[in-house]
Amino acid sequence: MLLWAFIRFGFSLTQTSTDRIMNRSAQPQDRPAVFAAQFALSHACWLVTYPLAGWIGARFGLNAAASALAGLGLASLAVALRLWPANDLSHIPHSHADLPAYHPHLAPDTSAAHSHVLTIDAMHRRWPKPA
């Protein structure tokens, strides 16, 4: 029971972070689609790992299955730590060389470089590099 509670606690911690990331990464009108995509992706991962756990467990034993899935989790953590920026700012000064100075997106500061809360949208198709 203690192990189950520990695993559920860890799962809760990761899901809380996922929600915060998705809310910051999409405009409010796009969030239903983003949450639906995350739901589908998480279930696709389960579709792979559940049979993998069963196959490894049946062939090599439950200790090997637990070790393999723990290794897969650690590898996933390493990838996330490598890809996620250490200093994730919500406001990143950036520029839009493709927009004219009078474009509404640049208001009230009409200079090319500006800063605001960033989400991936039509104006920011990729996470911008600081200006």
Side-chain angles (χ1 to χ4, degrees):
M1 288 300 289
L2 191 58
L3 178 61
W4 178 85
F6 179 73
I7 290 171
R8 296 308 301 169
F9 177 72
F11 182 75
S12 296
L13 287 176
T14 60
Q15 292 306 302
T16 300
S17 300
T18 303
D19 293 348
R20 292 181 64 204
I21 291 167
M22 289 188 299
N23 279 328
R24 278 196 48 206
S25 299
Q27 296 291 346
Q29 65 271 18
D30 296 330
R31 288 185 187 145
V34 169
F35 276 85
Q38 191 277 335
F39 181 83
L41 180 60
S42 69
H43 283 74
C45 292
W46 291 351
L47 186 65
V48 171
T49 55
Y50 272 86
L52 180 65
W55 179 77
I56 294 173
R59 183 153 173 105
F60 302 106
L62 294 180
N63 287 339
S67 297
L69 292 178
L72 183 61
L74 286 174
S76 299
L77 176 63
V79 169
L81 291 174
R82 174 75 174 112
L83 295 177
W84 197 261
N87 56 348
D88 185 25
L89 304 172
S90 62
H91 289 74
I92 298 176
H94 61 283
S95 62
H96 295 275
D98 56 333
L99 294 180
Y102 57 84
H103 194 278
H105 179 72
L106 300 175
D109 180 12
T110 58
S111 65
H114 66 283
S115 176
H116 54 82
V117 175
L118 282 168
T119 56
I120 301 302
D121 58 12
M123 303 290 355
H124 308 92
R125 298 208 180 270
R126 291 185 177 81
W127 204 251
K129 302 231 183 279

